[in-house]
Amino acid sequence: MKKKTVSLILAASMVVSLAACGSSSETQSSDTAEEAAVSETTTEAAQTTETTADTAEADAEAQTVAVDGMIALVTDVGTIDDESFNQATWEGVQQFGDANGIEYTYYQPTEDSTEERINQIDLAVAEGATVVVLPGYLFGETLSEVQTTYPDVNFIAVDVSEGDMTAPIESNAYACTFSEEQAGYLAGYAAVMDGYTKLGFLGGMAVPAVIRYGYGYIQGIDAAAQELGTEVEVKYTYGGQFYGDANITAKMESWYSEGTEIVFACGGGIYTSALEAALNYDGMIIGVDVDQHSVGEGYDYNPVLTSAMKGLTATVVDKLEGCFAGNWDSFGGQVENLGLEDGDYLGLPTDGDSWAFDTFSVDEYEELLAGIRDGSIVISNDTESQPEVSEAVSVSYID
């Protein structure tokens, strides 16, 4: 099958010139290339670099700017090597920091509580962090508090919505969510078009992002089933956590033993249970958030058919670029929802071996993407009501 590379990553070029985070009024600059004295901090991240400044009377001119800061990421209940959400966000921090000589580090809370998340942010700021990246809806309440506690720190919260917060977002904070229903739809549609008729969905916790993935998956399955005139069965459940364990593995083994062919494992490390069960029954899985093809390597076959991805890494890089380029005011104080109509924020991996479909083609995939972008394919993001399906599809919601 002919394969093309369709990049999910945002087309955001790395800036060569950097300025301190915050509004342009906070940027230290000079009309001549003079040395800027930077006081020592525990972060040891100060550096001098060139930037371009527009003035009212003249075109942009090169300036020397002192950058003093450190990027910190605080994990939610996951780890930076979870092969999913936290890792993708952390990779954005690493990518930007390494490319621009900015110091970065991460902090991992010792327990799942707002108090402990705030403790870690307190520690990060005390150790010199000027930009703090917060991955996951669990940071909604935390962000509501720390944004006023530290008005001189910039906060980038990924997958945090207004509904997750307990106070209005402040100008030193930025939050975004994604239209996960679009990525779920793509995965469900593609799986059925590739010949799968007995599918499953294993969610982590029933939080909005996971529900959107799942309900989009059902809608995509239904659309493909109607198009093909094929009857499809779907089993749907939540594990109540973002990690796999023996009980969840046993449930997945029962699904595969009863004929389930493929499971969309949607919820951080919970994929480990679906992966283990699939391998015991020659089954397949669909990954989430990032391209999880690599987690299936090293076995007799790779059980990862595809992954429903969102642009976590690219979004973090984009916002860090804006921050250190002095353009924070262009997005600070906003809560955005990012979908395909806004850019390449969601999709399936098409690079190399990650495209493992037998009959569903990249050309068909690109046509599907275009339909979502132009609005001809409508996908509901309703998380309160289970999606309606045609007679061709039966869905069993299992506690």
Side-chain angles (χ1 to χ4, degrees), residues 179-208:
S179 297
E180 290 91 355
E181 69 278 0
Q182 295 176 349
Y185 184 100
L186 291 168
Y189 181 94
V192 172
M193 294 298 288
D194 207 52
Y196 293 90
T197 59
K198 296 182 183 296
L199 299 91
F201 175 82
L202 169 63
M205 298 176 68
V207 297

Side-chain angles (χ1 to χ4, degrees), residues 2-210:
K2 182 180 179 181
K3 299 182 177 69
K4 297 180 182 177
T5 299
V6 179
S7 175
L8 175 71
I9 305 302
L10 296 173
S13 59
M14 301 299 277
V15 291
V16 177
S17 303
L18 299 178
C21 294
S23 65
S24 57
S25 63
E26 297 170 332
T27 302
Q28 178 185 353
S29 61
S30 172
D31 288 331
T32 60
E34 66 178 281
E35 291 287 322
V38 182
S39 62
E40 292 185 0
T41 69
T42 57
T43 66
E44 299 180 354
Q47 69 174 32
T48 302
T49 185
E50 292 184 352
T51 189
T52 301
D54 292 326
T55 65
E57 293 108 13
D59 293 334
E61 60 182 21
Q63 296 181 334
T64 301
V65 175
V67 176
D68 181 11
M70 180 182 79
I71 306 166
L73 179 142
V74 180
T75 66
D76 60 359
V77 293
T79 62
I80 60 165
D81 58 356
D82 63 1
E83 297 283 354
S84 187
F85 190 89
N86 284 275
Q87 182 170 331
T89 310
W90 173 239
E91 287 172 354
V93 172
Q94 290 179 303
Q95 182 176 325
F96 176 80
D98 290 343
N100 295 281
I102 305 296
E103 185 177 357
Y104 58 85
T105 189
Y106 75 92
Y107 299 81
Q108 186 170 324
T110 58
E111 63 180 39
D112 179 14
S113 70
T114 296
E115 180 181 3
E116 175 57 13
R117 282 184 275 276
I118 291 175
N119 287 341
Q120 294 302 314
I121 293 171
D122 289 342
L123 178 60
V125 174
E127 292 184 347
T130 56
V131 184
V132 180
V133 179
L134 308 174
Y137 80 99
L138 292 173
F139 282 101
E141 184 177 350
T142 302
L143 177 62
S144 300
E145 182 169 336
V146 297
Q147 64 180 349
T148 54
T149 303
Y150 300 109
D152 296 327
V153 174
N154 294 115
F155 294 96
I156 299 171
V158 185
D159 254 15
V160 173
S161 68
E162 285 185 290
D164 297 322
M165 298 184 65
T166 56
I169 194 164
E170 299 290 337
S171 60
N172 63 319
Y174 167 82
C176 70
T177 56
F178 296 86
S179 297
E180 290 91 355
E181 69 278 0
Q182 295 176 349
Y185 184 100
L186 291 168
Y189 181 94
V192 172
M193 294 298 288
D194 207 52
Y196 293 90
T197 59
K198 296 182 183 296
L199 299 91
F201 175 82
L202 169 63
M205 298 176 68
V207 297
V210 175

Side-chain angles (χ1 to χ4, degrees), residues 65-386:
V65 175
V67 176
D68 181 11
M70 180 182 79
I71 306 166
L73 179 142
V74 180
T75 66
D76 60 359
V77 293
T79 62
I80 60 165
D81 58 356
D82 63 1
E83 297 283 354
S84 187
F85 190 89
N86 284 275
Q87 182 170 331
T89 310
W90 173 239
E91 287 172 354
V93 172
Q94 290 179 303
Q95 182 176 325
F96 176 80
D98 290 343
N100 295 281
I102 305 296
E103 185 177 357
Y104 58 85
T105 189
Y106 75 92
Y107 299 81
Q108 186 170 324
T110 58
E111 63 180 39
D112 179 14
S113 70
T114 296
E115 180 181 3
E116 175 57 13
R117 282 184 275 276
I118 291 175
N119 287 341
Q120 294 302 314
I121 293 171
D122 289 342
L123 178 60
V125 174
E127 292 184 347
T130 56
V131 184
V132 180
V133 179
L134 308 174
Y137 80 99
L138 292 173
F139 282 101
E141 184 177 350
T142 302
L143 177 62
S144 300
E145 182 169 336
V146 297
Q147 64 180 349
T148 54
T149 303
Y150 300 109
D152 296 327
V153 174
N154 294 115
F155 294 96
I156 299 171
V158 185
D159 254 15
V160 173
S161 68
E162 285 185 290
D164 297 322
M165 298 184 65
T166 56
I169 194 164
E170 299 290 337
S171 60
N172 63 319
Y174 167 82
C176 70
T177 56
F178 296 86
S179 297
E180 290 91 355
E181 69 278 0
Q182 295 176 349
Y185 184 100
L186 291 168
Y189 181 94
V192 172
M193 294 298 288
D194 207 52
Y196 293 90
T197 59
K198 296 182 183 296
L199 299 91
F201 175 82
L202 169 63
M205 298 176 68
V207 297
V210 175
I211 297 172
R212 286 193 295 270
Y213 267 128
Y215 286 3
Y217 180 62
I218 297 298
Q219 292 175 73
I221 289 171
D222 187 57
Q226 290 186 64
E227 187 173 331
L228 295 176
T230 302
E231 292 187 356
V232 177
E233 298 176 7
V234 186
K235 293 180 178 179
Y236 191 111
T237 195
Y238 297 102
Q241 60 195 41
F242 290 118
Y243 56 90
D245 63 20
N247 290 332
I248 296 174
T249 300
K251 177 181 279 191
M252 292 299 98
E253 287 182 335
S254 72
W255 283 16
Y256 283 111
S257 69
E258 293 167 357
T260 296
E261 301 164 317
I262 187 166
V263 172
F264 181 12
C266 179
I270 204 168
Y271 78 87
T272 58
S273 281
L275 178 67
E276 182 180 348
L279 289 167
N280 289 335
Y281 289 90
D282 295 325
M284 301 293 290
I285 70 169
I286 295 171
V288 74
D289 288 338
V290 298
D291 182 0
Q292 292 188 316
H293 179 82
S294 62
V295 306
E297 294 176 341
Y299 301 102
D300 292 339
Y301 73 101
N302 193 317
V304 182
L305 176 69
T306 189
S307 300
M309 306 189 305
K310 54 188 177 184
L312 299 165
T313 300
T315 300
V316 171
V317 170
D318 181 56
K319 298 312 172 188
L320 288 174
E321 284 179 346
C323 177
F324 280 88
N327 297 324
W328 180 267
D329 286 349
S330 66
F331 56 86
Q334 297 180 29
V335 181
E336 294 184 304
N337 179 261
L338 306 174
L340 284 169
E341 60 276 17
D342 305 304
D344 292 335
Y345 289 103
L346 303 116
L348 307 180
T350 58
D351 292 343
D353 293 336
S354 293
W355 188 265
F357 296 104
D358 289 327
T359 58
F360 185 63
S361 70
V362 173
D363 287 341
E364 290 174 308
Y365 168 67
E366 292 178 337
E367 184 178 348
L368 190 65
L369 282 178
I372 297 173
R373 287 196 179 101
D374 66 23
S376 58
I377 296 175
V378 178
I379 307 168
S380 172
N381 64 358
D382 180 10
T383 59
E384 300 297 324
S385 304
Q386 297 169 355

